[in-house]
Amino acid sequence: MKQAPMLSSAFLHPAGQTLPEPLLALRKQRASLLVDMPLPTRKTENWKYSSKYLKLTDEMAISLPAEGKAGNSLAVSGYKVVFRNGILIPEASDYPDMDGITIQSFSDLSNEEADVLALQLGSTLDHDQAQFARLNGARFDDGLLVRLDADAVLDQPLFIIHETAADTSGSAFPRIFVEAGANSRITLVEEYTSSGDAPAFVNTVTEFTLADGANVTSIRLNMEGESVQHIGATGVVQNHSSRFESHCVGFGGPLRRHDLQVRLVGEEAETKLNGVVVTQGKQHYDNHTSIDHVAANCNSEETYRNIAADQSHAIFNGRIHIHQDAQKSFADMNNKNLLLNNGAEIDTKPELEIYADDVKCAHGATIGQLDEESIFYLLSRGIGRRDANVLLTMAFINELVSQIPLEVVRDTAQIRLNEFFEQTFQEI
Amino acid sequence: MLSIKNLHASVEDKAILKGINLDIKPGEVHAIMGPNGSGKSTLSQVLAGNEAFEVTSGEVTLNGENLLDLAIEERAREGVFLAFQYPVEIPGVSNLQFLRTAVNAMRKHRGEEEMNAAEFMKQAKEVSKQVDLDPSFLKRGVNEDFSGGEKKRNEIMQALLLQPKLAILDETDSGLDIDALQVVSNGVNALRAEDRAILMVTHYQRLLNHIVPDYVHVLAGGRIVKSGGRELALELEERGYGWLGINDEDTSN
Ligand SMILES: Nc1ncnc2c1ncn2[C@@H]1O[C@H](COP(=O)(O)OP(=O)(O)OP(=O)(O)O)[C@@H](O)[C@H]1O
Ligand SMILES: [Mg+2]
């Protein structure tokens, strides 16, 4: 029998030593768990469509240096934190200075603070499903800690810009931990960009814990370049009456994977997950989401849209698990997919596990093409074929794009979408 | 203006139009009546360029230009407008965005400047009033959840905005209440012009009280079997189609 390929040991040696002692120890301990970590193959259920896109070489194992030129990113005024190759750059960042809100790089934590954080890191994630979160745990060189005390409200969104400068081959392992205290409120934007064209690997983990009544809006824009493979995981734990809202907008690449796991552990928690994925050329994108209704009376609403052009490949896997005690759960999952070319591939799979009897759970998945009748209607009004295609493709995701609560993010996404249309629909 | 000669068309190898001949001069209004399934919508769709239908023989010219050679959007830009019997719903594209894209495509074709959002909004609001549609309809998705009558008014609104040379109205009067019929008729009458031809498909002579046609044609079994003046519509209303020798076979498919 052929041995399953293992993660090369080259990936097990972290470079940066600037972290406080408790985090260095944590990293070391996590690394020891990684020895003999099998790489996913076609036979790995949660990677079966994507394993063929994963191409990690030993050259990519080393951490990219923190210097390097900046990519183009959201032009923001207001609060921002810039990571370059997984290292937080204080000079480029602009933190809020508000009572009740702590925003700090992992490297700046005292040993006492780091002790507390070490117990929390990884606690929101099921690592058997998001295997690569383990690798991040063994390799993160830096990270961002955001703590909101009870009732703290961040008055403006916090932009976290992750730039990967892929001038040489290497990896980046940024990590974010957000603890939202009772009734606190924050909007946080993660933007992933890159420059350079050396093969690079970005492996992220972002975690949110929401105390009772906390309200978190998370926006994630994935716009890295064609040489960057990206595997990210987001873990969310929600307590009583908390509200989490996520907007993920992703553009394809050689490998794109995002695992989003939400656990509703307190009653009356609400979660809303929106996602838009656009792929073209030979690009790939794989979204795996998972919502655990652990407590009763919670509400989850999930809407994902994939658009695949050319020979690209998009994957959506949506798992909803309603635990035995989660009576009166309401869960609605909807995934629609648009194939723009016959050569494109979309795989969608809902996974429902329901162990409570008094629940409302709806799910739907469709795969379709642009509607011929609608195209004819638009053309019959003098609209050109290209514009008709663009209007109808935008129509497919408009509802989700317009729900993104920040104009600057909508605009940034729209610019990328326009480039996509430019390349996908030639004037006929 | 419009000249149709011996037009044959089929869908999925089934012949629907079997030799249509029709000439329409500028300024004229022609009504086409005829039983269900006789090919009225097919004729309308073929003129607009719907590729689901195959033209197997015949000739269609608009102001001397071969219409059948033109792509759908080119026909529209040359002035062909079809008000659909069943307008398509397009959720996610706002009516306003749709209309502005269409108007600007036409303007660009004529070498005129495109209209900005504010200018267009003003014009669109005026025209929506003309067909008694609240301006809030401009913000909704194209025909999305519009009632049958609202869809028809939206079609006429588009005709008024696009100012076509040839307006083909496929049962624009169907499903309208009495007030809406009045509104739509006023809209169509507003379209009547020296340099514009109108071809209306209808089942009801009542529309022709509001919009008085110059000619009435009866389409049956894919052919025009009778043409006359306005009085032909009255006669059809009274006597049905039987006296024209239209048999069941013609009307059943
Ligand atoms: N896409 C299609 N596929 C198959 N048959 C079609 C198609 N479109 C039209 N037909 C057939 O062509 C014939 C003519 O249809 P058409 O819609 O032109 O009739 P009509 O005169 O407009 O009828 P009505 O008064 O009911 O609107 C009908 O038998 C119809 O079933
Ligand atoms: Mg018809």
Side-chain angles (χ1 to χ4, degrees), chain B residues 4 39 87 118 126 144 170 206 225 244 250:
Chain B
I4 305 176
E126 276 165 27
E144 187 183 3
D170 191 357
R206 64 172 187 168
V225 296
L244 290 169
D250 289 329

Side-chain angles (χ1 to χ4, degrees), chain B residues 42-111:
Chain B
T42 302
L43 174 62
S44 310
Q45 298 272 329
V46 165
L47 293 177
N50 190 340
E51 285 150 2
F53 301 93
E54 191 196 350
V55 174
T56 47
S57 66
E59 205 178 90
V60 180
T61 58
L62 182 73
N63 292 326
E65 194 173 356
N66 183 352
L67 202 60
L68 300 178
D69 270 357
L70 299 182
I72 304 158
E73 66 273 24
E74 290 169 339
R75 297 184 196 198
R77 291 170 193 164
E78 291 304 324
V80 176
F81 178 89
L82 167 63
F84 284 61
Q85 180 173 3
Y86 305 110
V88 186
E89 296 197 17
I90 313 181
V93 179
S94 81
N95 218 6
L96 193 69
Q97 187 186 18
F98 160 61
L99 296 170
R100 186 157 80 95
T101 310
V103 165
N104 279 337
M106 302 288 198
R107 292 176 73 93
K108 200 171 154 203
H109 176 71
R110 291 194 298 262

Side-chain angles (χ1 to χ4, degrees), chain B residues 11 14 16 35-42 53 85 171 203 253:
Chain B
V11 60
K14 181 174 131 195
I16 312 275
N36 293 133
S38 58
K40 302 182 299 296
S41 292
T42 302
F53 301 93
Q85 180 173 3
E171 295 201 27
H203 287 292
N253 61 11

Side-chain angles (χ1 to χ4, degrees), chain A residues 371-385 387 391-392 394-396 398-399 428, chain B residues 45 49-51 72-73 76-77 81-82 84 88 90-93 97-98 102 105-106 143 155 158:
Chain A
D371 179 48
E372 281 302 323
E373 263 190 78
S374 302
I375 291 180
F376 175 58
Y377 191 71
L378 297 177
L379 296 181
S380 79
R381 299 311 186 232
I383 295 172
R385 209 167 263 276
D387 286 350
L391 278 174
L392 293 177
M394 258 327 283
F396 188 74
N398 253 340
E399 185 198 341
I428 315 163
Chain B
Q45 298 272 329
N50 190 340
E51 285 150 2
I72 304 158
E73 66 273 24
R77 291 170 193 164
F81 178 89
L82 167 63
F84 284 61
V88 186
I90 313 181
V93 179
Q97 187 186 18
F98 160 61
M106 302 288 198
N143 293 319
E155 295 292 285
Q158 293 168 44

